[in-house]
Amino acid sequence: MQSPGHPSLLVSLLIGAFVVWRFYSRIRRMVVRQKLSKVRPWITVCALPVVVALFAVGSIAQPLSMAALLGGAVIGIGLGTYGLRLTRFENTPEGLYYTPSAHLGVALSVLLIGRLGYRAMQMYSATDVSGTPPPAPFTGTPITLLIFGALAGYYVTYAIGLLRWRRSVLNTTAAAASS
């Protein structure tokens, strides 16, 4: 019986399918009304800056990559602030809800997916036999880091905005209940 294919190709396809599924579920969630979670914004605010810092440390030897990452983060902060202005917030008896601007989140996610797909195809098609050097890793390309920085800046800014809104609603509710 013949093997189903090269094991590394199968692993790559499985990882790719997982990544596509996660991106699909994230994008799908961006376009609908969502209940504000007490934990999810905190995870975003804590985890993404750590990942950005790790990428920044990894690109210390490449000033252009570091500048692209930080420039992307600044762009993302601006987009996150704009996205918060476009968000519809709702304080209902069932809880706190918000409907994000679908265009910004989806556009940034699709941009990142496209870039990662392009880089994966580049790396997969590079062969040692051709004599060309393999492409730089994902974190070694300024364009990829610019896009990731923008996405991270957007999500962190957006999560901070959600936390601030939640706090202001809870403070208003507490003040109304005490008077």
Side-chain angles (χ1 to χ4, degrees):
M1 183 169 183
Q2 219 172 8
S3 68
H6 195 272
S8 67
L9 177 60
L10 183 61
V11 170
S12 298
L13 289 174
L14 288 174
I15 290 172
F18 176 75
V19 168
V20 168
W21 170 71
R22 289 303 307 147
F23 274 119
Y24 171 76
S25 64
R26 184 169 236 351
I27 289 173
R28 194 183 76 205
R29 202 177 76 221
M30 283 184 207
V31 297
V32 296
R33 179 179 180 237
Q34 301 177 45
K35 186 169 184 166
L36 180 59
S37 168
K38 293 179 183 177
V39 177
R40 186 175 287 145
W42 284 108
I43 292 171
T44 301
V45 167
C46 295
L48 276 180
V50 171
V51 174
V52 169
L54 290 172
F55 281 162
V57 167
S59 63
I60 284 178
Q62 303 162 350
L64 183 59
S65 294
M66 170 103 52
L69 178 66
L70 298 178
V74 169
I75 291 168
I77 290 168
L79 289 173
T81 303
Y82 180 64
L84 284 166
R85 281 193 246 143
L86 298 176
T87 299
R88 190 176 72 214
F89 296 100
E90 302 173 52
N91 182 5
T92 68
E94 297 84 31
L96 301 176
Y97 289 87
Y98 66 99
T99 306
S101 167
H103 298 89
L104 285 176
V106 170
L108 285 170
S109 295
V110 167
L111 191 62
L112 181 66
I113 292 168
R115 179 60 184 174
L116 292 177
Y118 172 76
R119 292 289 297 147
M121 287 178 50
Q122 251 188 341
M123 292 179 79
Y124 182 73
S125 67
T127 60
D128 295 332
V129 179
S130 68
T132 60
F138 286 121
T139 58
T141 61
I143 294 172
T144 304
L145 289 175
L146 176 78
I147 294 169
F148 175 77
L151 194 64
Y154 172 79
Y155 281 124
V156 169
T157 302
Y158 200 84
I160 290 170
L162 292 175
L163 292 170
R164 290 181 67 197
W165 173 66
R166 181 178 189 277
R167 185 181 56 192
S168 73
V169 168
L170 294 177
N171 289 342
T172 303
T173 306
S178 68
S179 56

